[in-house]
Amino acid sequence: MGKICNTIHGLRPAIMMVVVQAAMAGVNVFYKIAANIGMSLRVLIAYRFLFAAGILVPLALVVERKSRPKLTWVVAGQAFLCGLLGGSMAQNLYAQSLALTSATFAAAMTNLIPAITLVLAISFGLERLAAGTTAGKAKVAGTLLCIGGAMLLTFYKGPEINPWKTNIDILHRDHHQHPGGGHVAASQQRAGNHVLGALLAVCCCFCTAMGLIVQAKMIRNYPCPYSSTALMITMGAIQAVGFGLCMDRNWSDWELGWDIRLLTVSYSGIVGSGVMFTFMAWCVQMRGPLFVSVFSPLMLVLVAIAGSLLLNEKLHLGTVLGAVVIVCGLYAVLWGKGKELKRICQLVPSKSSRESERIDVIVTSTTENSIHRQSSSNNALGFVLTSMVSDDLNADVSQNNNGEEKKEDDDDSGDEGKNGSIELNPNV
C-alpha cells in the first residue's frame, strides 16, 4: 500500500499538468463556440481577466501576506507591461486568430513562443547562444524547425485527413456549397482569413514572448509568484475592459445570461486562468519550469481531437505536418535549455561543500572587552569585529570559567556555521 501511495505521489505533478493542458484545450473550444454565436471576443477577454482577478487576488493576499515585499513604481510599471503584452493584447490577438482559422491551428502556433522568446532574449543580451556547444546547436536547430513548421502550417494545406467521422457539430454551421463564382469567392475569403489568422497568431506569440521577458525582470524585483501574477492579471483586466468599452459600446454585448456566454467567461476565467495557474505554480515548485514546458504540445493534441469530434473541424496534411515539425522544434529548444541549465547547476558549489566552511566565534574577556570572530575556511581568512559591551555583560563574562567559554564557543561556532553559509541561487 505504501508503494502505491508513493507512486501516486510521484505521478501527481504529471497528472496535474495533464489536467492543466486538458483545461486549456477546453478554453480553445469555448473560444471557438463564443466566436460562432456572435459574442464579442473583446468582451470575452475582458470578462475572463475580471473572473481571473477575482480568483487570484484573494489567493495572493492570503498565501503571501507575510512574504510580500513593498510595491514600487518600477514593479507597477513592469506589471502594466506584462498585463499588456502577455495579457490583454496577446489574448485578443489569439482569440481573433482562433476565430479566423481553427482551434487546432491556433494551438499549434502557440508552440512558437519558446523559440521567439529565445530569439528576443539573445537580441536583448539576456541569453547567450553559445552556438559552438551542443546545447546551443540544439536551440538554433529547434528555432529553425519552429519557424519552418509555422510556415508549413500556414501556406500548405494538403489533402484532408479523416481519422474518425462523426456527425457532431456544436457550432451548427451551414455546409451548403454555393455554386459557381460564389463558391470561389468564399474559398478566396477563407484563404485570406487563414493568412490573416496566421499573422495574428505570430503577433500573439511575439507579444507573449515580450511579456515573458518583462516578467522575468519583474520577478527579480518582486519575487512573489502569486502576487506578481495577480498584479499582472489586474492590470490586464483594466486594459481589457478599457479596450472592450472603447470598441463595443453597445451594452447588450456585455450582458451575460444563464447561457453559453456565462459558461464561456466563467470557465476561461476561473478554470483556465485561476485554478490552472495554481496547478502550474505547484508543478513549477515541485519539478521546475522545464517540466511544465514539456507538456505544452499535449494541448495541441487534445485541441485537435476535440475540434475534430465536437467542432467538425477538418484536419489537413499540412496542419498535421506543420504541428509535428513545430513540436519537434519545441522539444529541441527545451532539450538544449535543459542541458544548459544542468551545466550551470554543476558549476554551483554543492551543499556539503558550503556546509564544510564553518565560522568559529571566539569570545575572549580582555580589558577592552572585544569580540574576535575568526572565519576558518580553506584559506584561513579571518576578520575581527570589535564592539564595546555594557558593564553588566563585563561582569557576566568575567565570571565564566574556561570550560564554559569553550562550551559557548562550540555552540556559537555551530550556530554560526549553520547560519553563515552562503547560498548561491543562480538566476537563469
Side-chain angles (χ1 to χ4, degrees):
M1 188 66 180
K3 292 182 179 180
I4 298 177
C5 293
N6 292 334
T7 303
I8 296 175
H9 185 272
L11 292 176
R12 186 173 60 176
I15 295 174
M16 292 174 66
M17 283 309 305
V18 171
V19 173
V20 168
Q21 299 303 324
M24 297 309 295
V27 171
N28 283 267
V29 174
F30 276 110
Y31 271 16
K32 194 67 177 180
I33 296 174
N36 184 74
I37 64 176
M39 183 178 183
S40 173
L41 295 177
R42 293 176 290 268
V43 175
L44 169 60
I45 300 301
Y47 274 122
R48 176 180 180 177
F49 275 97
L50 288 175
F51 275 80
I55 294 296
L56 292 176
V57 170
L59 180 65
L61 292 176
V62 173
V63 175
E64 297 175 342
R65 61 185 182 276
K66 296 181 179 179
S67 60
R68 185 169 48 251
K70 183 180 179 180
L71 181 64
T72 62
W73 285 106
V74 175
V75 174
Q78 291 173 342
F80 180 84
L81 290 177
C82 287
L84 177 64
L85 295 173
S88 58
M89 184 182 295
Q91 283 296 315
N92 276 283
L93 290 171
Y94 180 79
Q96 292 293 337
S97 171
L98 188 146
L100 292 174
T101 56
S102 66
T104 305
F105 182 89
M109 294 294 283
T110 56
N111 289 292
L112 288 173
I113 293 176
I116 296 177
T117 305
L118 175 64
V119 173
L120 292 177
I122 294 173
S123 302
F124 292 144
L126 302 175
E127 181 95 10
R128 293 184 60 187
L129 181 59
T133 62
T134 305
K137 293 178 181 178
K139 290 190 292 185
V140 172
T143 303
L144 294 178
L145 281 175
C146 287
I147 296 174
M151 295 179 65
L152 181 63
L153 195 69
T154 304
F155 299 109
Y156 176 69
K157 193 172 184 180
E160 186 177 314
I161 300 176
N162 290 318
W164 45 73
K165 186 174 180 59
T166 63
N167 295 323
I168 302 176
D169 185 8
I170 59 179
L171 298 182
H172 303 293
R173 288 170 292 195
D174 185 12
H175 299 282
H176 178 69
Q177 301 292 335
H178 299 281
H183 178 72
V184 175
S187 300
Q188 291 178 352
Q189 183 180 3
R190 285 194 296 269
N193 291 341
H194 187 79
V195 175
L196 179 59
L199 180 61
L200 292 177
V202 173
C203 292
C204 167
C205 296
F206 181 83
C207 290
T208 305
M210 289 291 295
L212 290 175
I213 292 176
V214 177
Q215 189 176 12
K217 296 271 188 182
M218 177 184 170
I219 288 296
R220 296 178 183 178
N221 300 326
Y222 203 71
C224 298
Y226 291 97
S227 298
S228 60
T229 304
L231 188 60
M232 183 188 71
I233 291 294
T234 303
M235 293 291 186
I238 296 173
Q239 296 161 3
V241 170
F243 179 68
L245 290 175
C246 292
M247 301 300 296
D248 299 292
R249 300 181 182 180
N250 189 359
W251 287 108
S252 61
D253 295 334
W254 293 83
E255 293 179 355
L256 296 177
W258 295 98
D259 52 10
I260 191 65
R261 293 170 178 256
L262 179 60
L263 180 60
T264 300
V265 298
S266 59
Y267 179 86
S268 59
I270 298 175
V271 178
S273 296
V275 178
M276 291 305 106
F277 165 74
T278 306
F279 282 9
M280 292 176 66
W282 288 342
C283 292
V284 168
Q285 186 177 6
M286 287 187 289
R287 294 294 178 87
L290 191 63
F291 176 83
V292 175
S293 301
V294 167
F295 284 84
S296 57
L298 178 61
M299 184 185 71
L300 171 60
V301 178
L302 297 177
V303 168
I305 296 174
S308 179
L309 290 176
L310 302 177
L311 306 178
N312 198 23
E313 291 183 350
K314 305 300 181 182
L315 289 177
H316 296 272
L317 182 62
T319 303
V320 176
L321 292 179
V324 170
V325 173
I326 289 177
V327 170
C328 292
L330 170 68
Y331 278 120
V333 173
L334 292 177
W335 181 85
K337 189 62 181 177
K339 192 174 182 64
E340 188 178 71
L341 289 175
K342 185 178 180 180
R343 181 180 62 84
I344 293 175
C345 291
Q346 289 176 352
L347 298 178
V348 179
S350 62
K351 183 177 179 181
S352 59
S353 63
R354 292 196 305 266
E355 291 181 348
S356 63
E357 297 184 357
R358 303 183 335 159
I359 298 178
D360 295 331
V361 179
I362 301 177
V363 181
T364 59
S365 176
T366 62
T367 57
E368 292 132 358
N369 297 312
S370 61
I371 299 177
H372 302 277
R373 291 185 180 181
Q374 181 179 1
S375 172
S376 57
S377 58
N378 293 333
N379 296 326
L381 179 63
F383 62 94
V384 178
L385 297 177
T386 305
S387 63
M388 301 301 297
V389 294
S390 61
D391 294 337
D392 295 335
L393 181 61
N394 292 339
D396 293 336
V397 172
S398 61
Q399 292 176 0
N400 293 333
N401 54 29
N402 294 333
E404 292 175 346
E405 289 180 354
K406 183 176 180 182
K407 182 178 180 181
E408 291 176 357
D409 293 344
D410 293 336
D411 294 337
D412 292 338
S413 62
D415 295 336
E416 195 73 13
K418 294 178 181 178
N419 301 325
S421 59
I422 302 174
E423 294 291 336
L424 296 179
N425 187 11
N427 218 339
V428 180

